[in-house]
Amino acid sequence: MDHIEKITTDELQAKLEAGEKLELVDVREDEEVAAGMIPGAKHIRMGTIPDTLDYFDKDKEYIFICRSGNRSGHVCQYLQEQGYKVRNMVGGMLDWKGETEA
């Protein structure tokens, strides 16, 4: 298994607060994101990732988010094998202390 880059929730929050432009992708299910997601994140359910590869740009890095970091880790593994730059938010939304939007 190739090494997947990781980012903690605190590191991500600091980058967002510093005004960094990041590509955030939330791979949770519809009912999960209804409870709130990180502002600016794009919602693409895990199961639809293979069908939405045209959304992703191999020149950009994407940070993947789920509830605990497990599903997003699987998505990162898959996309990294396709040649994309990815980073997994470890701890997921369970660890996220920043603001959320519906």
Side-chain angles (χ1 to χ4, degrees):
M1 184 161 125
D2 292 334
H3 175 72
I4 302 290
E5 291 293 322
K6 297 178 173 63
I7 187 168
T8 67
T9 54
D10 290 341
E11 288 168 340
L12 179 57
Q13 190 167 353
K15 284 179 176 287
L16 292 172
E17 287 171 359
E20 286 191 44
K21 175 87 175 90
L22 303 169
E23 298 289 336
L24 307 176
V25 180
D26 193 319
V27 299
R28 295 176 298 157
E29 295 298 317
D30 295 340
E31 61 274 9
E32 293 176 288
V33 298
M37 41 193 270
I38 297 171
K42 179 161 179 62
H43 179 218
I44 304 176
R45 290 186 322 278
M46 178 180 176
T48 64
I49 292 284
D51 299 328
T52 55
L53 287 180
D54 56 346
Y55 167 78
F56 299 100
D57 180 342
K58 290 190 176 177
D59 293 329
K60 294 182 180 175
E61 179 183 72
Y62 297 89
I63 297 172
F64 288 88
I65 301 159
C66 71
R67 188 181 70 89
S68 67
N70 190 27
R71 279 175 288 175
S72 53
H74 288 294
V75 171
C76 285
Q77 183 73 40
Y78 171 76
L79 287 173
Q80 185 165 287
E81 288 169 359
Q82 312 300 315
Y84 294 93
K85 295 180 198 147
V86 297
R87 192 172 284 242
N88 187 25
M89 186 178 91
V90 292
M93 292 303 287
L94 290 174
D95 283 354
W96 180 252
K97 296 170 191 71
E99 60 181 278
T100 59
E101 62 185 13

